[in-house]
Amino acid sequence: MPACKAIKLVFTAYLLIAVTTHAQFKFDQAVVINKENGLPVNDIRSLRKGSDGFVWIGTAEGLCRFDGQLVKVFQAGADLHYSLFENSINAVLPVKNCVWLGTSQGISVLNTTDNTFRHYQFLGFRKADSLKRRFDQSVTTLYSDASGTVWIGTRDRGLCMYDKAKDDFRFFSLSREKFPPLKPALGSDNAILSIAASKTNDSIIWAGTPGGLQRVNKYSGDVRLYTFPQKNKDYQVAVNAFRRMYNHDDGLLYVGSWAAGVNVFDPVQETFTPLYVKTEMGKKILTGPISNISRRSEHEIWITSGAGLAIYDTRSKEVTWARFNDGPKNEFYAIDFIDEANRVWYQNINGLQYYDPAVQQFARYSFKHLSNVDWAYAFYILSDKSGNNITVCPRLTDGIYHFDKVKKEWTKTPFPHQESFKKEIEAIRGFIQLPGGDYIISGDKGMFRFSEKRKTITAIHKTLPFTPAHRRELLLDHSGYIWLANDADGLIRWKPETNNYTSYKLQISAADTSNPIGWLNNLFEDSHGNIWFQTSGGLGVLIVAKNSIVNFIYAKNEANSFPVALSFAEDRKGRVWVSGGDGWLGYALSNQPERGIVQKLNIKDRGLSGIVYQLATDVRGEVWGYTLKELVKVNADNLSLSTYNFQYGINEPDFFHFSFLPSGEMIFGGRNDITIANPLEFKRNKEIPVPYIAGVEVLNQPYCFAMSDSPLRLKYRQNFFSIGFSAQAYTMSKDVKFRYRLSGFDDWTEAAGRRYANYTNVPGGDYAFQLQAANNEGIWNKNILELPVHIATPFWLSWWFRTGILITVAASVYWLYRYRVSQLKKKQRLKSEYEKKLANVEMSALLAQMNPHFLFNSLNSIDSYIIRNESKKASEYLNNFARLMRLILQHSRSNYISLKDELEALELYMQMESLRFKDKFSYSITVDEKL
């Protein structure tokens, strides 16, 4: 029988451990969002995540929208269409494209499509027609049932629901004749503290008050009050305060109070009993105010109390997992909700915090609380065969530390007789554990043998057959020999049991007398028992089969050596990998060590950067290393490199040790801690960022428009604008990458650290601003966000204006042409008329000068001379007549006639007349001498 009981006990313990392990969340490295990150205050009253992907935060100073990186704050302002009426928010409830807010001055509802608000206050038991400051408007809680109906809990008016069709509220009131108030009670039963819908009856809504539990039938309007009187009136006050409620799958209503822990209401039996808990640990964690109760599984619930966080199994009636708050360490554990990526969100005095499983893949365990030095430097880490018990010997210490990986607990074993290595001049340089369990410690202070069992520490450097000197690194090989890197004697192989030793100093020095080996470091044993080490000029190997050392001096042969050998590790193919600094890796062959490094590669050629500081081999025979940014694994089959970023759990890699535990985890030694991670459980971030438009500025001023499906419409003078953007990404949101373009204007641009795009002098037209986002792994969201952008075209560049201008120009040219033609015709007509008139004038002038009587008389005189045969006179007269006619015709075409020409014509005329009258008269022409 005792044996059977023992078996049952072991089985029960196994189940408990299994359940506990399964239930555990890694509540480490919380992401903290507070005033420094954009919150108006750290006083958070309500926290919800909406179907739109945003986390909505109600604070004492306004509403906040959080996307993983940016916090947008909505506060009270003059324009109530775009601002809150009251900043003090008690409850937040996202419903579809709206966010309902319960404030101390009623209800505000944010439309998330255009960031506009509508506000409600109560007047009696209906909606008030106007907004003003009132003392009875406080809304304490909000709830949405399965049908999407919004329920409102008020401080003074009880419970009501929103009637969307009427845009009004329906209140549910108690009948005081049937249900008198409980006395004493913490408060009025009209003050609603919590709301929950029944899991078994969709017509029932439960409303918790400070003075009992209300059962509301939303169809009939019937309200029933449950109160639970107690003999102890203080307990009555505490137990009837229904601060938090949750209706579980089993149909029971789990109730949290301020001072009565968790109680259970059975709606069928109408009983109200304390939550049954077996263990003292469970009872302790559930004491104090209960701030949240929520579902974990069909038989488990999360309970957040003032003492911490717990998982309660409704089947086993026990707390199966718990985390206690630690005020002095500022460590608090709670749950407001768990999102789709298993991120745990909660609020506390520090603001908003959430635990992201993706960045908890490296577990850090500090022994600082046991150390009495500022920085101990965990250089030396050993483990038992299971990998569950880890021993750490820091470089500066007065003892060794043991870590129980299962219990996550540290213990310290101080060195006896107050032996200490806490000063730099006493630093430990080597640490190994002998098969019998004792430890060998070497360092600047000497060599010591430490026995935890006997609690003794003995200086052995004075009894060694060789003289140890500065910088003594230790290596215990598979044969039980201890190898020492000794500056004085070079490389030493020592058997502690027999005290026999071998020094390889001469062989090392003989290899290069012109460049002697200054020191040895980084001892490593390969699978063939060869001992590899770093020297001041390169690297070397002691070939066990030949019992001789081969040195590979970089200055003499760069092909098979490195200037430095930071670390060694061997893969399952027998390659001894060497980290050579500056991104170099190379490998030698354990079965041909005399060849040195036979192949090299540089991680920079593989798209990586940095220095590979240390190497280690996992249980599968793959070699790993790390840089300051990421882990690097060398695939033993094809020599390909794969990486894993430290961002998945380590903020700033600062390690002094790197190895693998027999259980498969990798372990790092830090300044005052160790870090453990299981490479088989590494998961990369698969969350795809969802980009969105955060805001628009036009001419450096905020521009309001509905950022839903409507395009951004700008005037032609508004073609200088900036588009702000962000993305919903809660895992490593700082590393989200963006690229954008204004389709039709420019090409894709990588936004290096920026979350906005500036555009200047964009021509009028229709464009599409396109935005893509990628996570830290470079996985881009295939869905491209598009914002249509329309920029009005200036009227002088519009088609109708240009067409009008062309028509106007054409008409003007045609008019000018016709006008020119008409002017030319008019000019020609005037010219013709002038010439005609001129001809007439000339003719008149000619006629005036050529008197017909004179012509007749002249011709008769000529005829008379011819008849009389006076040919000489006839010829003279005819010549004068001809000359006179010629002068008259010439003068008729001239505007002006000179006096000389006029006198000549007059002289000819007088001569002809004198000749015709046979000199019967005399004449003289007198000209004034002044002319």
Side-chain angles (χ1 to χ4, degrees):
M1 184 64 69
C4 292
K5 289 184 178 179
I7 292 173
K8 290 181 179 179
L9 183 61
V10 171
F11 183 72
T12 303
Y14 170 79
L15 287 178
L16 182 59
I17 291 173
V19 171
T20 303
T21 303
H22 175 71
Q24 278 189 348
F25 275 60
K26 293 182 179 179
F27 288 83
D28 298 317
Q29 304 182 50
V31 179
V32 179
I33 307 299
N34 52 29
K35 289 182 65 176
E36 295 180 359
N37 306 101
L39 291 181
V41 290
N42 291 341
D43 184 4
I44 297 176
R45 276 84 178 281
S46 184
L47 179 66
R48 297 286 184 91
K49 187 174 184 181
S51 59
D52 57 1
F54 290 107
V55 173
W56 296 93
I57 309 165
T59 76
E61 291 295 335
L63 173 68
C64 301
R65 186 190 71 189
F66 180 57
D67 66 8
Q69 180 67 21
L70 298 181
V71 176
K72 179 178 177 60
V73 181
F74 300 86
Q75 292 181 312
D79 187 353
L80 294 181
H81 189 61
Y82 290 102
S83 63
L84 291 170
F85 181 65
E86 168 60 39
N87 283 333
S88 180
I89 297 175
N90 301 319
V92 174
L93 178 65
V95 179
K96 296 182 179 179
N97 62 344
C98 291
V99 179
W100 287 71
L101 308 173
T103 76
S104 61
Q105 288 295 319
I107 296 172
S108 293
V109 183
L110 170 67
N111 186 329
T112 58
T113 59
D114 57 9
N115 288 341
T116 59
F117 285 90
R118 67 181 191 269
H119 308 279
Y120 299 97
Q121 284 189 325
F122 309 111
L123 186 61
F125 293 99
R126 61 178 180 82
K127 180 180 69 174
D129 296 328
S130 61
L131 296 176
K132 66 178 183 179
R133 292 285 168 180
R134 296 180 171 96
F135 294 101
D136 58 350
Q137 297 296 313
S138 183
V139 172
T140 54
T141 185
L142 296 168
Y143 182 82
S144 177
D145 62 20
S147 65
T149 301
V150 175
W151 294 82
I152 300 101
T154 69
R155 185 186 62 188
D156 301 291
R157 290 177 172 82
L159 182 69
C160 67
M161 60 173 282
Y162 174 68
D163 188 333
K164 185 176 181 181
K166 297 179 180 179
D167 191 29
D168 206 341
F169 301 91
R170 177 189 177 190
F171 282 85
F172 299 84
S173 301
L174 283 167
S175 171
R176 283 304 174 197
E177 295 179 358
K178 294 182 179 180
F179 305 106
L182 176 70
K183 295 181 180 180
L186 187 63
S188 169
D189 52 23
N190 278 329
I192 307 300
L193 302 176
S194 56
I195 306 173
S198 171
K199 288 288 184 70
T200 58
N201 189 339
D202 63 359
S203 64
I204 301 302
I205 296 294
W206 299 100
T209 77
L213 175 65
Q214 293 184 13
R215 179 183 182 271
V216 178
N217 190 310
K218 66 179 181 180
Y219 298 118
S220 67
D222 179 63
V223 181
R224 179 177 179 181
L225 178 66
Y226 292 91
T227 59
F228 306 96
Q230 304 291 327
K231 292 181 180 180
N232 185 322
K233 297 307 178 183
D234 290 337
Y235 182 65
Q236 173 179 299
V237 170
V239 79
N240 280 278
F242 287 69
R243 185 187 186 200
R244 299 290 183 264
M245 292 191 305
Y246 164 67
N247 202 176
H248 192 49
D249 299 19
D250 55 12
L252 300 178
L253 195 65
Y254 291 82
V255 180
S257 64
W258 273 283
V262 179
N263 295 272
V264 182
F265 177 72
D266 187 335
V268 177
Q269 302 296 329
E270 296 186 352
T271 58
F272 192 55
T273 57
L275 182 70
Y276 180 73
V277 181
K278 298 177 182 178
T279 64
E280 290 300 320
M281 181 272 290
K283 295 176 182 178
K284 182 179 179 181
I285 194 71
L286 298 182
T287 58
I290 305 300
S291 58
N292 186 269
I293 306 175
S294 57
R295 185 182 190 276
R296 186 181 188 276
S297 69
E298 62 179 7
H299 64 92
E300 292 176 311
I301 57 177
W302 291 102
I303 302 176
T304 302
S305 72
L309 178 65
I311 295 176
Y312 181 78
D313 192 312
T314 59
R315 292 176 182 172
S316 65
K317 308 297 182 184
E318 189 51 273
V319 171
T320 57
W321 179 90
R323 274 285 182 95
F324 286 89
N325 296 332
D326 191 335
K329 293 183 179 180
N330 203 25
E331 295 177 354
F332 300 94
Y333 305 97
I335 289 179
D336 275 285
F337 66 87
I338 300 176
D339 67 14
E340 64 283 352
N342 271 340
R343 289 179 287 252
V344 176
W345 297 77
Y346 69 99
Q347 54 181 301
N348 61 26
I349 60 175
N350 298 316
L352 164 65
Q353 297 190 5
Y354 66 95
Y355 293 107
D356 188 349
V359 295
Q360 295 176 338
Q361 301 185 58
F362 295 83
R364 176 179 172 270
Y365 305 100
S366 174
F367 55 82
K368 176 65 177 176
H369 59 289
L370 299 176
S371 175
N372 49 17
V373 296
D374 292 335
W375 289 338
Y377 307 105
F379 269 87
Y380 309 104
I381 300 177
L382 305 175
S383 170
D384 65 2
K385 293 181 180 180
S386 68
N388 292 328
N389 299 299
I390 299 167
T391 300
V392 178
C393 180
R395 175 153 285 181
L396 303 177
T397 184
D398 58 357
I400 61 175
Y401 301 87
H402 296 287
F403 180 71
D404 188 322
K405 195 177 68 176
V406 176
K407 296 181 179 180
K408 306 295 187 293
E409 294 179 353
W410 284 99
T411 57
K412 179 181 180 180
T413 303
F415 294 134
H417 314 302
Q418 297 183 342
E419 189 65 67
S420 173
F421 302 86
K422 296 190 296 184
K423 298 179 181 179
E424 187 63 34
I425 59 173
E426 302 170 340
I428 294 175
R429 304 293 179 180
F431 178 77
I432 61 171
Q433 186 175 23
L434 298 174
D438 288 355
Y439 301 97
I440 300 295
I441 301 172
S442 70
D444 299 340
K445 195 174 180 179
M447 292 190 66
F448 298 83
R449 183 167 184 150
F450 171 52
S451 174
E452 279 191 290
K453 294 180 181 179
R454 297 188 299 271
K455 297 182 180 179
T456 60
I457 185 167
T458 306
I460 60 174
H461 47 272
K462 295 181 179 179
T463 61
L464 293 175
F466 52 87
T467 304
H470 182 69
R471 199 179 184 89
R472 290 166 290 276
E473 185 171 345
L474 302 178
L475 171 68
L476 180 67
D477 68 15
H478 70 284
S479 300
Y481 284 98
I482 296 177
W483 295 83
L484 295 86
N486 193 336
D487 290 354
D489 295 324
L491 185 63
I492 296 175
R493 184 178 66 180
W494 171 49
K495 192 73 170 178
E497 292 79 7
T498 63
N499 222 19
N500 294 329
Y501 80 99
T502 303
S503 174
Y504 295 90
K505 177 181 178 181
L506 295 178
Q507 294 188 41
I508 293 175
S509 300
D512 184 10
T513 56
S514 63
N515 186 21
I517 306 301
W519 44 261
L520 305 179
N521 202 8
N522 300 330
L523 303 182
F524 173 77
E525 180 187 20
D526 67 22
S527 58
H528 287 72
N530 303 313
I531 306 299
W532 298 81
F533 50 86
Q534 176 190 11
T535 70
S536 58
L539 58 102
V541 59
L542 177 114
I543 305 175
V544 173
K546 298 179 181 179
N547 199 30
S548 63
I549 286 180
V550 179
N551 289 308
F552 306 100
I553 308 301
Y554 183 77
K556 301 183 70 174
N557 188 352
E558 297 182 2
N560 65 355
S561 184
F562 281 131
V564 294
L566 300 178
S567 184
F568 298 88
E570 183 179 1
D571 66 19
R572 64 173 180 267
K573 300 288 187 178
R575 304 184 189 96
V576 178
W577 286 88
V578 186
S579 174
D582 196 27
W584 283 102
L585 292 175
Y587 67 82
L589 302 175
S590 60
N591 59 354
Q592 300 179 47
E594 67 279 357
R595 295 177 58 187
I597 296 175
V598 298
Q599 186 170 338
K600 298 180 179 181
L601 64 90
N602 197 298
I603 64 173
K604 297 176 182 178
D605 299 331
R606 307 288 183 94
L608 309 179
S609 61
I611 298 173
V612 180
Y613 288 96
Q614 295 188 58
L615 301 174
T617 307
D618 65 17
V619 294
R620 299 178 59 199
E622 306 278 6
V623 169
W624 294 69
Y626 71 87
T627 69
L628 291 180
K629 179 182 178 182
E630 57 200 348
L631 285 163
V632 181
K633 184 178 77 170
V634 183
N635 189 307
D637 295 324
N638 55 22
L639 303 186
S640 63
L641 301 182
S642 58
T643 63
Y644 193 78
N645 204 299
F646 278 130
Q647 291 175 319
Y648 288 104
I650 298 175
N651 294 327
E652 295 292 337
D654 185 18
F655 301 132
F656 306 93
H657 174 94
F658 175 45
S659 64
F660 280 84
L661 299 174
S663 51
E665 298 102 325
M666 57 178 59
I667 185 168
F668 301 88
R671 293 179 181 266
N672 292 301
D673 53 59
I674 61 173
T675 298
I676 299 176
N678 190 341
L680 297 179
E681 297 178 358
F682 281 164
K683 295 180 181 178
R684 300 182 185 276
N685 181 20
K686 295 182 180 180
E687 181 187 41
I688 305 300
V690 179
Y692 69 93
I693 303 301
V696 175
E697 287 190 355
V698 176
L699 302 175
N700 294 323
Q701 297 298 321
Y703 186 79
C704 294
F705 80 106
M707 291 181 286
S708 52
D709 297 328
S710 60
L712 174 63
R713 296 186 177 277
L714 302 175
K715 299 177 181 179
Y716 70 87
R717 293 188 181 92
Q718 297 176 317
N719 61 349
F720 289 74
F721 58 93
S722 174
I723 300 177
F725 49 80
S726 188
Q728 295 171 357
Y730 301 99
T731 295
M732 288 179 275
S733 57
K734 293 182 180 179
D735 299 307
V736 172
K737 306 177 184 67
F738 295 93
R739 62 186 179 193
Y740 62 86
R741 71 174 176 180
L742 190 62
S743 180
F745 181 74
D746 61 1
D747 205 349
W748 287 104
T749 301
E750 296 282 344
R754 292 183 292 108
R755 296 201 174 206
Y756 60 88
N758 286 328
Y759 290 100
T760 59
N761 202 26
V762 180
D766 291 308
Y767 307 93
F769 179 75
Q770 297 178 322
L771 178 66
Q772 267 188 300
N775 66 9
N776 64 299
E777 294 288 347
I779 302 175
W780 290 93
N781 191 329
K782 295 181 181 179
N783 297 322
I784 299 177
L785 175 68
E786 285 197 0
L787 172 64
V789 178
H790 173 77
I791 300 177
T793 302
F795 71 89
W796 59 85
L797 296 178
S798 61
W799 67 268
W800 55 266
F801 181 81
R802 291 183 176 182
T803 302
I805 290 295
L806 290 176
I807 294 173
T808 302
V809 170
S812 299
V813 170
Y814 179 73
W815 179 83
L816 289 173
Y817 169 75
R818 293 299 303 270
Y819 176 76
R820 180 61 178 167
V821 169
S822 65
Q823 288 295 101
L824 291 175
K825 287 183 178 181
K826 182 178 181 181
K827 184 177 180 181
Q828 186 66 32
R829 185 176 67 254
L830 292 174
K831 182 179 179 181
S832 298
E833 292 176 356
Y834 172 76
E835 289 178 349
K836 184 177 180 181
K837 289 181 180 180
L838 182 63
N840 292 333
V841 171
E842 289 177 351
M843 184 60 68
S844 299
L846 181 62
L847 292 175
Q849 295 184 23
M850 298 177 65
N851 193 306
H853 297 286
F854 168 71
L855 294 176
F856 180 76
N857 292 332
S858 296
L859 292 175
N860 281 337
S861 296
I862 294 171
D863 181 63
S864 175
Y865 286 135
I866 293 173
I867 294 174
R868 290 197 302 268
N869 200 22
E870 293 179 2
S871 56
K872 185 176 180 181
K873 286 185 177 183
S875 174
E876 180 182 0
Y877 194 93
L878 183 60
N879 286 333
N880 289 337
F881 181 75
R883 286 178 60 195
L884 180 61
M885 290 299 103
R886 181 171 60 81
L887 286 174
I888 291 173
L889 291 175
Q890 287 179 347
H891 293 168
S892 67
R893 293 182 174 88
S894 300
N895 294 326
Y896 301 97
I897 303 173
S898 65
L899 181 61
K900 178 182 177 181
D901 292 338
E902 186 64 25
L903 290 174
E904 181 181 2
L906 181 60
E907 180 67 27
L908 289 174
Y909 176 75
M910 296 303 296
Q911 288 178 4
M912 290 176 63
E913 289 297 306
S914 177
L915 183 61
R916 185 168 68 87
F917 288 103
K918 299 178 180 179
D919 297 322
K920 288 181 179 181
F921 66 88
S922 61
Y923 66 91
S924 65
I925 299 173
T926 304
V927 180
D928 194 342
E929 293 179 356
K930 296 180 180 180
L931 296 178

